[in-house]
């Protein structure tokens, strides 16, 4: 029996610093209800989907940073999302800032969860590729302090077996924003036979260290997710928090990519918007079983440098 999952890319427009969690959850619930009306099984929200993208500011006091974090999930405001999942029989991916106390130590992660149709958390991922910088760099028009405010994720790139659509369970992975630019992200999940990779993002149009890339933001966004999908024979769903947020423009360009690498649905605004596609999880097969039959064609012995070396080093001069 074919396995189909109808997925909604639930793009959010800007969330400003003064917006409350309750206001944001109201917007997310509106998207969930719309997704339900359109027959969705699963909706994907962006990275840090409950607040403004706070790493754009340098805060001196940890309490000002912690105000953007969720100490519990579900929490007082987000519980309504889990209730809606149950009521509408609709799964969701949600990105948020996670504050957890472990062995008496506060830990901060840029996290996403996968929630099933019964409202249960069935998967968690903590962002591994943290872009930006750790120290205040006042020369920038805005900061990108993810390396200051978050620890690197400690859960690897797990793949979860979960049931959202018809015809049986699928294999789902998660990544967050900058992760999507790295081929290793998709390949580690590809090696676990992933069938759908869910990715939320906040991508400023302007990159202060490399403004010459600004005009290529959409091209690079599509390039990496289309390549990741095709090279691993997987669906990829990339979802933005978009628009002019607290004075900083962020790209939209939320897309659903088939295992062929083709974009099959896309948002066309930078506001709250739903793009959806009915995804055949078995479309992954013809890629995973032929060109990208890993067991048959990969040559891991020739790839050792990928895990043994971090930075690029030119070969010695002769
Ligand atoms: N949130 C996040 O990871 N944003 C980064 C901006 C990096 S600047 C190139 C991204 O990769 O989109």
């Amino acid at each position: 029996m074919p396995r189909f999952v109808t997925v909604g890319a639930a793009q959010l427009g800007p969330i400003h610093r003064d917006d409350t969690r309750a206001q944001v959850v109201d917007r997310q619930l509106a998207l969930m209800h719309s997704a339900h009306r359109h027959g969705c099984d699963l909706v994907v929200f962006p990275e840090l989907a409950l607040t403004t993208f706070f790493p754009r500011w340098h805060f001196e006091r940890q309490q000002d940073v912690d105000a953007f974090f969720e100490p519990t999930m579900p929490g007082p405001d987000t519980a309504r999302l889990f209730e809606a999942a149950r009521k509408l029989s609709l799964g969701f991916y949600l990105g948020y800032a996670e504050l957890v106390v472990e062995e008496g130590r506060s830990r901060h992660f840029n996290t996403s969860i996968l929630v099933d149709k019964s409202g249960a958390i069935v998967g968690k991922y903590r962002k591994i590729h943290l872009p930006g910088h750790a120290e205040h760099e006042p020369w920038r028009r805005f900061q990108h302090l993810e390396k200051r405010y978050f620890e690197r994720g400690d859960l690897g790139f797990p793949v979860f077996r979960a049931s959202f659509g018809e015809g049986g369970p699928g294999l789902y992975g998660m990544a967050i924003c900058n992760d999507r630019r790295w081929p290793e992200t998709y390949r580690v999940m590809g090696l676990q036979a992933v069938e759908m990779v869910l990715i939320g993002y906040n991508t400023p149009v302007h990159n202060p260290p490399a403004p010459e890339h600004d005009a290529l933001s959409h091209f690079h966004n599509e390039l990496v997710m289309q390549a990741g999908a095709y090279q691993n024979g997987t669906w990829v769903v990339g979802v933005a928090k978009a628009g002019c947020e607290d004075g900083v423009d962020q790209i939209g360009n939320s897309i659903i990519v088939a295992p062929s690498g083709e974009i099959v649905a896309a948002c066309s605004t930078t506001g709250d918007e739903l793009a959806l596609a009915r995804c055949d999880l078995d479309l992954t097969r013809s890629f995973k079983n032929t060109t990208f039959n890993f067991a048959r064609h990969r040559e891991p012995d020739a790839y050792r440098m990928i895990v043994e070396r971090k930075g690029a080093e030119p070969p010695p001069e002769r």
Side-chain angles (χ1 to χ4, degrees), residues 234-272:
T234 180
W235 290 89
V236 172
V237 184
V239 183
K241 175 140 66 57
C244 186
E245 187 176 83
D246 290 316
V248 174
D249 282 320
Q250 301 196 152
I251 68 164
N253 197 213
S254 300
I255 51 175
I256 301 176
V257 186
S260 60
E262 294 165 290
I263 296 172
V264 296
C267 288
S268 56
T269 71
T270 52
D272 291 7

Side-chain angles (χ1 to χ4, degrees), residues 16 39 55 73 85 95 97 101 105 124 130 140 161 192 196 209 227 240 248 257-258 273 279 285 295 297 307 314:
H16 299 296
M73 185 57 69
V101 179
R105 184 165 77 92
K124 179 182 273 194
L130 297 171
R140 293 173 182 251
R161 196 179 300 276
Q192 298 166 78
M196 186 174 283
V248 174
V257 186
E273 184 182 345
C279 305
R285 294 272 162 84
H297 302 302
V307 289

Side-chain angles (χ1 to χ4, degrees), residues 13 20 26 31 64 88 108 172 179 181 205 215 233 247 292 307 311-312 314:
T20 65
D26 284 345
L31 285 165
D64 293 333
L88 304 175
H108 299 75
Y172 295 84
D179 288 322
R181 303 189 191 275
V205 173
F292 297 109
V307 289

Side-chain angles (χ1 to χ4, degrees), residues 47 53 127 131 144 146 177-178 180-181 202-204 207:
E47 172 192 36
F53 188 73
K127 186 174 182 178
H144 198 113
E146 287 196 63
C177 196
N178 192 260
R180 76 193 188 287
R181 303 189 191 275
N202 283 265
T203 295
N207 182 15

Side-chain angles (χ1 to χ4, degrees), residues 297-308:
H297 302 302
R298 285 184 79 250
E299 296 294 351
D301 280 352
Y303 314 147
R304 288 190 188 285
M305 206 183 277
I306 286 179
V307 289
E308 287 168 359

